[in-house]
Amino acid sequence: MILFIYGASGAAIEIYDLAERVNAVSHRYSKIYLIDDFEEEVSYYGTERIHFSSCETIAQEEFEFVIAVGEPSARAFLLKRIEESGYKLATLIDPSVIVSPTAKIAPGCIVNAQSIVSANVIMEENCFLGFHVVVGHDAHLKKNTVVCPMATVGGGSTVGENTFIGLNSSMKEHVNLGNHVVVGMGSMVFRSVEDGCTVLGNPARVTKGNDDHKVFRN
């Protein structure tokens, strides 16, 4: 089995390291590649950086993908591209992670080191949890959710599709975030947030000026 990591930025090399840790235990992958459609195909970070169009040519055995970008809208775009090509998604969970036996984690999800996924949690396709994330019991993370390192999702909460929770942020229990929400780093969310809002601060309040719901800007 070959693993293709779609992305070659800082997030991607973190996920490459994660995949190597997983592979040291599972021995699932014979080769792990990074994909970047905007840079030339070269040796990079101990492996090969290739284009998406080269995957079938290179792969001489079964293969699967994970998406290693932190922008939820970009994750959604790349997920659609992979699914329309008929390719399979991998799931990467660091060996140090604690996952409840009642949690449900869909294909395409990434859970990085020292995180906790509690009882009855549902993680839909293509969610990305950074280092030291805590997801409380009965929480529901919808497609393409990104939760950054040291953040906490309170028990019984729902996080909408294409939503981003920044570094060291926390959500109170039974708080719901809509679709395309951005929670700025260090924010404390005590109330539910409607679709498309960006919130910042302690307590988190809606801010203006992010109508395209972007997290990272050039």
Side-chain angles (χ1 to χ4, degrees):
M1 178 70 74
I2 290 172
L3 177 66
F4 292 116
I5 298 173
Y6 210 153
S9 63
I13 59 177
E14 287 184 351
I15 301 312
Y16 180 85
D17 288 348
L18 165 58
E20 290 280 27
R21 293 193 297 271
V22 170
N23 209 37
V25 176
S26 68
H27 307 290
R28 179 173 177 80
Y29 301 115
S30 60
K31 181 72 176 179
I32 301 170
Y33 292 92
L34 295 167
I35 299 175
D36 188 334
D37 293 321
F38 302 101
E39 300 289 344
E40 62 179 334
E41 296 185 315
V42 294
S43 296
Y44 179 74
Y45 202 71
T47 183
E48 301 297 320
R49 184 177 66 198
I50 64 169
H51 297 156
F52 183 79
S53 59
S54 300
C55 291
E56 288 194 17
T57 303
I58 288 173
Q60 301 300 312
E61 55 188 294
E62 286 190 84
F63 57 89
E64 54 192 16
F65 287 79
V66 290
I67 298 168
V69 295
E71 182 76 58
S73 60
R75 294 185 67 79
F77 175 82
L78 296 178
L79 175 63
K80 183 178 180 182
R81 188 175 192 188
I82 290 166
E83 291 180 333
E84 287 179 346
S85 299
Y87 299 150
K88 295 191 303 182
L89 293 169
T91 302
L92 290 181
I93 301 174
D94 191 272
S96 66
V97 169
I98 297 173
V99 179
S100 168
T102 59
K104 296 178 180 178
I105 300 178
C109 288
I110 298 169
V111 186
N112 220 326
Q114 304 296 323
S115 292
I116 299 173
V117 181
S118 302
N120 299 320
V121 165
I122 297 172
M123 293 176 58
E124 296 184 8
E125 278 185 321
N126 200 30
C127 292
F128 181 6
L129 306 186
F131 301 101
H132 298 276
V133 168
V134 176
V135 182
H137 65 88
D138 299 290
H140 185 171
L141 278 57
K142 296 188 178 180
K143 288 173 64 173
N144 311 314
T145 292
V146 175
V147 186
C148 289
M150 306 298 291
T152 299
V153 177
S157 297
T158 298
V159 180
E161 291 188 11
N162 303 333
T163 285
F164 179 94
I165 301 175
L167 289 161
N168 202 33
S169 296
S170 293
M171 292 172 58
K172 184 180 178 291
E173 70 278 4
H174 302 291
V175 165
N176 299 324
L177 303 182
N179 300 326
H180 306 284
V181 166
V182 177
V183 177
M185 66 179 183
S187 297
M188 300 290 112
V189 183
F190 295 99
R191 296 182 179 180
S192 294
V193 180
E194 296 180 357
D195 292 354
C197 290
T198 296
V199 297
L200 298 169
N202 181 10
R205 292 186 171 91
V206 176
T207 186
K208 297 181 179 180
N210 191 25
D211 294 338
D212 56 358
H213 318 302
K214 289 289 186 182
V215 178
F216 303 106
R217 300 179 182 277
N218 295 330

